[in-house]
Amino acid sequence: MTTVPGRRSSTFTRLLRHGFTDPAAAERLLDLPALASVRTDPVLLDALGATADPDLALRGLVRLVEAEDADERQMLLDTLVSAKPLRDRLLGVLGASEALGDHLARHPRHWQALVMYEATDLHPGVAEFEHELGDARDPDTLRIAYRRCLLAIAARDVCGTTDVAETAAELADLATATLRAALAIARTAAPADAALCRLAVIAMGKCGGHELNYVSDVDVIFVAEPVDSSEESKAVQAATRLAAHMMRICSETTVEGTIWPVDANLRPEGRNGPLVRTLSSHVAYYQRWAKTWEFQALLKARPVAGDPELGAEYVEAVSPMVWQAADRENFVGDVQKMRRRVVDNIPADRVDREIKLGPGGLRDVEFAVQLLQLVHGRSDASLHSGSTLDALRALAGGGYVGRVDAAQFDDAYRFLRAMEHRIQLYRLRRTHLVPEDESDLRRLGRSLGMRTDPIAEINQAWKRHTSVVRRLHEKLFYRPLLDAVAQLAPGETRLSAKAAGVRLEALGYADPAAALRHLEALSSGVSRKAAIQRTLLPVLLGWFADSADPDAGLLGFRKVSDALGKTPWYLRLLRDEGAAAENLARVLSAGRLAPDLLLRAPEAVAILGDPQGLKPRSRNHLEQEVLAAVGRAEGAESAVAVVRGVRRRELFRTAAADLIGSYGTEENPAELDHGALVDRVGNAVTDLNAVTIAGALRAAVREQWGDTLPTRFAVIGMGRFGGHELGYGSDADVLFVHTPREGVDEQEATRAANTVVAEMRRLLQLPTADPPLLIDADLRPEGKSGPLVRTLKSYDAYYRRWSLVWESQALLRAEPMAGDAELGRDFVELIDPLRYPMEGLGEDAVREIRRLKARMESERMPRGADPTLHTKLGRGGLSDVEWTVQLLQMQHGWVEPGLRTTRTREALAAACAAELISGEDAQTLDEAWVLATRVRNAVMLVRGRPADTFPSGPRELTAVGRYLGYEPGHVGDMLDDYRRITRRARAVVEERFYGA
């Protein structure tokens, strides 16, 4: 072919126009002698241009023609240009699959399988494929025959003769015929083994579901029984040898390549279990040991090879157990957790290209459909299908899924499966990754009919469909619950009240009838509020179900919506702030405390939509707000009412941040540093209570004395208050100290101080909607028998003359919290020599501290309490750790400045840094202290009232476990972990505190 130098030939231009990316190479191929008789035929060029990859198709055609014998070559070319069906099929396959092009180059006569189709060839089944494989006598001939059948399936696929579901079914039927042929070869090779046993092969996964890929592991389970009087153990051994040989025939690589791996890992006990079991052994395992996911896998179980009667007996035996799986505790949570685990295990650099396992991928569709099948298949046999698309159609027909949602899901699934098929067909390799190379993307797009801009079009379509799946896969489960209580359009099928109740029960709702009433109240009507809530509720229901108390979450949401539903900002917040709705769901369903705080003033829900809303406010910021409010108030009671309202709001902020940090959200995982969570709560609640007391003090003074009290007055925090370790339900332990102002009589000053204290306590405990703050002054000198308020001189005199060692120990936590700052510093200066004595503690003092601790352990433990689970006084609990740290502070604080702190964890870290305790022991004590503190916080959050032990009720115990990071069904692990951690801490206490 001669052209003028510098000018492209007309063939070059035509090749470009027909979609060739390397026209020069294509021109050279067309000039080869092998294609001499057809190179100028316009029909050939048009047909090549219609393929997914014209360059690939032409290369494959040249290799096929050159591989043919000379006398057959012309027949191939003549048929190619004269018979459009062959032309479309052959070139379509060559343009889509390099691997099948290689096969045709090795076995050129196989092109004749594409010349014409009989009616049965259009939709062949197992019998037709068995006939095609019937002559296979060894692994190589089986591979050759398999690829010949695969060639025909691929031709029907790429030409559009079959759709994606039919192609997947044909691939599954071919796999069935292949397994039968492989088993026949294995039986022929070992007739003695075949005579001893009945062996059935049960297909699982996509093969069992009649929806196989081009290249996929074929999942199987083997079941065997002895023949007649054969010994069972020998029969199982013989069956195991046959099964293993059958697997090798399919899986091993020979000169003809491989077929696909046969994977038996879905069998009982997985890889650790025997390859073959008897039917009774299978049944015993599933009845006693099987996990939820194993019943989910059995949805697709289908006998495909071997003894058909035994296969049918297997399915008949396990099927009832499959449809009872939804009755298992935490069923829905287990299924959803397994789906999350799959996503979490995808390498980060692949997750965005995973068409099967990634978010919005095929597995999301399959999991959603299977979950609904298992929940509703108990009472509706029409859902008993292994095929995803057939099951989806049945779910829509029964009203379990909305018809529009089902149609969108079906469309997305078919598109994603078509993508997966074409990606695998190219090289016949097992992959689920969307390619990154532009030439691969171009071929993929063209293979799916995208010709204008295939790369952009395939990416857009893929993202659109995964977005639909992501949006629908949760909605698919929850949306029909709203339809069950809604007015539907004519022709729509609703989820029956009974079916809706079953679904809610499976989600963990204890009172499905009440839940349906709440849903009806929230979603009925034509108001903007109802419309927004109808959109939100399917997602909220999922978040509620992911908690320990879905009923409380839904009820709380109804109450908040009833209170704020007509407020424009509330609806806007839920609609537009992505995190706000999830945060609200987490807070409402995690326990009683946070919802109680919120429902007393629902406008605090705005905190959940502000990115900075969950961060605790600084003490200075809060103090300015509180003191300003007190200054504006008309009287002490109204002033403190405002102060307590601020406290309630900030308690809600702290509790919400704690719950969301502990549970995690879809965007932000749970906080891993539990010590940081504990410190954050302790600091926030301490600052809040200090500010509340400061506000009450200011209000009490202004009511009677104006701006100045006759005496300088300070509030000293003690115990957990002074240590910045308060929990949600802690009292405020304090001491009150005052010093008369110049010229004021001491008795008058003392009366004024006592009056202020009494008024503060009254104001902070007035019955209102806000939680009270109890002030406890029992750690004062002489305890309850001593005066409530003392002057600084009186404290000095008492401590110099009468102070006991336990009082010095209690003063380790003393820190000024409110009132006269200078007086507070004077008090600290007064007590420092007592709590950090020069030269440390003498032996007598150490013995006294140990004696007091032992007495407290024996006398103060509540009767009947489990000492291994009591967070305060139990083995390795808060008291053990704190007394050990405080002993180190009193012994060494005089010489180690880092020990001079009121905070337990800070003091422990300082002791470790000073090498007073080993790093391992310090870590053990810290871990136990943090865990015990978190348990106390969790109990208060869940029950709404404080306690030092784990709750006894299963739902409350589960809620505590969720807060601590344990999935439903693992409260036993939580209690075991608590005992183990605190037991190790107690061993350190025995050595470090008691000197054992």
Side-chain angles (χ1 to χ4, degrees), residues 112-142:
Q112 296 177 18
L114 307 179
V115 172
M116 60 183 295
Y117 292 146
E118 300 294 337
T120 55
D121 293 331
L122 289 177
H123 299 290
V126 176
E128 288 76 23
F129 287 126
E130 282 193 278
H131 176 74
E132 291 291 326
L133 303 179
D135 293 334
R137 294 292 178 265
D138 56 56
D140 279 339
T141 54
L142 181 60

Side-chain angles (χ1 to χ4, degrees), residues 399-402 475-485 495 503:
Y400 303 106
V401 173
K475 178 185 175 185
L476 202 70
F477 196 79
Y478 302 109
R479 179 74 206 180
L481 293 170
L482 302 188
D483 293 341
V485 296
L495 192 66
R503 193 175 298 190

Side-chain angles (χ1 to χ4, degrees), residues 3-15:
T3 60
V4 177
R7 179 180 297 176
R8 289 177 174 173
S9 70
S10 59
T11 304
F12 186 98
T13 305
R14 288 172 60 209
L15 290 170

Side-chain angles (χ1 to χ4, degrees), residues 74-93:
Q74 195 56 47
M75 184 178 73
L76 165 61
L77 292 173
D78 290 345
T79 309
L80 187 69
V81 296
S82 62
K84 185 177 188 304
L86 170 70
R87 189 165 61 246
D88 291 344
R89 294 169 195 149
L90 178 58
L91 296 182
V93 168

Side-chain angles (χ1 to χ4, degrees), residues 359-404:
L362 292 163
R363 190 58 60 88
D364 273 350
V365 181
E366 293 158 0
F367 263 60
V369 170
Q370 289 164 20
L371 189 58
L372 288 167
Q373 282 182 275
L374 289 168
V375 169
H376 296 293
R378 290 177 288 181
S379 56
D380 189 344
S382 71
L383 305 181
H384 296 189
S385 171
S387 161
T388 300
L389 292 175
D390 288 349
L392 184 58
R393 202 158 34 247
L395 287 165
Y400 303 106
V401 173
R403 291 188 184 278
V404 173

Side-chain angles (χ1 to χ4, degrees), residues 199-241:
L199 174 64
V201 183
I202 312 298
M204 304 287 284
K206 282 188 163 50
C207 184
H210 226 227
E211 49 190 17
L212 199 61
N213 299 328
Y214 277 103
V215 187
S216 174
D217 291 356
V218 170
D219 297 307
V220 298
I221 285 177
F222 297 105
V223 57
E225 292 293 333
V227 169
D228 299 330
S229 58
S230 302
E231 188 179 327
E232 183 178 291
S233 61
K234 290 184 178 178
V236 170
Q237 291 170 4
T240 301
R241 289 190 290 270

Side-chain angles (χ1 to χ4, degrees), residues 9-10 351 372 383 395 460 487 489 500 519 601 742 888 915 919 941 954:
S9 70
S10 59
V351 69
L372 288 167
L383 305 181
L395 287 165
Q460 289 169 3
Q487 295 294 318
L519 289 175
E742 190 174 342
L888 288 170
E915 299 183 354
L941 286 166

